[in-house]
Each structure stands twice: as C-alpha cells, then as structure tokens.
Amino acid sequence: MARRRSGAPSKGDLRELKILGVLGELLATKSFDALTTNDIAERAGLSRASMYFYFSSKQEALVALFAKTVEALREKSRAAADDPAAPRDAIATAMRHTRDRWREHGLIMRVAIDQASAIPEIGALWTETAEIFIDAITAILVRAGVKSHDGPDGARALAGAVCWMIERTFYHASAVSLEALDQAAETCEAVWLRVAAIEP
C-alpha cells in the first residue's frame, strides 16, 4: 500500500478545505443567518452526516474559515513589529499588507466581525489579531519618537485607537469597492503618520 507523503494533505484535510471554500462562496450570495448546514453540505457534495463529521455547525465552520483567513494578517502584523525599516516605510508596508488582506477576504472578515458578538470564538480571534496589530503599531510609534507611557496619549493607547480606526474604515470601504479600499488605505496611512508626527 502506498504511504502518504509526510506533509501532504489527507483526504480529510482536503474535504475540510473544500467545505470552507464552499462556505466562502455561499456567503457571496446568501447571508450567514439565512445559510444552513444543508446548503453547505449540498454544495460541497456531502451528506449532512458527513458534514457534521467535520463541523458540528455552520458557526463552527465560520470560526475555522475566519481563523484561516486572519492567520496571514497575524503573521504580517508580527513582521511589522520587527520591521527594521524607517517608521514611514514600515507604516506604508503594514498598510499595504492590511489593504491586500481586505481586498482578498473582505467579505469573510465582514461576516465574521458581524457574527463576533454571537460567536465568542470569533470575537476572541479578532481581539487576539487586533492585539498583535496594536503591538506592531506601538513598536513603530515608539521608534518614531512617541513616548511609551500609560496615559491616553501614550504609544499603546494611541496604537489601540489607530488599530480600531483602521478596522472600521476598512470594514466599510471593503463593502463599497476596491477603489474605496485603496483610498481607505491611503487615509489610514496618513492618520497613522500624523499620530507618529511624521509628515504625510
């Protein structure tokens, strides 16, 4: 019997990925609230029982899809914290990566954010992701000369405000158009530069 090569995805892995892909496709045409587990199973070519083998509910599938979607954003945020480039360039890189993620997965991110209050796992994932980005923003602000202290104008407090401003701005722009996303990225970059006392 041929053995599966180490690292190669199993049939189960591939089926799980297919389910998540199908969920993403369905969300483009149907709201999450209107979507059923049967809809996902049928589109994926599975029985309802087979679907439950992988995910016990559509909520659990959404959590898995969102986790997969934000992983690259988390990695890019960690990289931004360690970016040795000048603050201006580090900010431009971070905003470009954030924009690209929203361009590619804006729908999934909006749906997940909308469901965060009803699905605690999504809320926790998004908060953890935001904290990683806040760490990066803080590091860049400190390198730009912003004082690091506990007051409302300290680097971390300002970084939190910048992070959630970026999230809301991209959330709304991604529902409008790719051009709106590009403009949102430029605006958020300008705000971040001004917070860092760097002329745009």
Side-chain angles (χ1 to χ4, degrees):
M1 176 192 297
R3 297 181 62 183
R4 184 164 58 91
R5 289 175 299 166
S6 177
S10 67
K11 277 187 178 178
D13 293 334
L14 293 173
R15 191 164 287 171
E16 186 172 307
L17 285 172
K18 181 172 184 178
I19 291 168
L20 297 182
V22 161
L23 175 55
E25 292 168 6
L26 288 170
L27 288 172
T29 59
K30 202 168 191 177
S31 74
F32 183 74
D33 290 336
L35 196 62
T36 67
T37 306
N38 274 344
D39 292 333
I40 302 169
E42 285 176 15
R43 175 72 74 90
L46 300 171
S47 67
R48 189 171 178 177
S50 294
M51 170 73 186
Y52 285 136
F53 179 79
Y54 296 97
F55 299 105
S56 63
S57 64
K58 66 178 185 178
Q59 288 82 3
E60 188 176 315
L62 182 63
V63 170
L65 178 59
F66 186 56
K68 183 171 173 288
T69 300
V70 298
E71 187 49 44
L73 189 57
R74 292 159 76 106
E75 289 173 10
K76 296 296 185 185
S77 294
R78 291 187 187 99
D82 300 324
D83 190 341
R88 176 190 296 279
D89 296 331
I91 290 169
T93 298
M95 289 311 308
R96 186 174 66 253
H97 288 154
T98 303
R99 180 207 61 196
D100 291 348
R101 206 66 192 158
W102 276 92
R103 282 175 71 103
E104 189 175 356
H105 299 290
L107 172 63
I108 303 303
M109 292 167 75
R110 288 196 310 275
V111 170
I113 289 167
D114 289 343
Q115 295 296 322
S117 59
I119 307 174
E121 295 87 351
I122 287 179
L125 262 174
W126 196 228
T127 298
E128 288 167 13
T129 302
E131 285 299 320
I132 294 168
F133 195 32
I134 290 169
D135 288 343
I137 297 171
T138 302
I140 294 170
L141 289 178
V142 169
R143 288 201 293 110
V146 177
K147 299 296 184 184
S148 181
H149 58 77
D150 293 334
D153 61 345
R156 187 158 188 91
L158 292 172
V162 169
C163 172
W164 293 111
M165 177 272 300
I166 289 170
E167 188 245 31
R168 285 289 90 187
T169 302
F170 275 74
Y171 174 96
H172 290 291
S174 69
V176 177
S177 67
L178 294 179
E179 292 75 15
L181 257 184
D182 289 339
Q183 184 173 342
E186 291 176 13
T187 300
C188 289
E189 183 174 338
V191 171
W192 189 350
L193 286 168
R194 289 187 180 181
V195 170
I198 300 170
E199 282 300 316

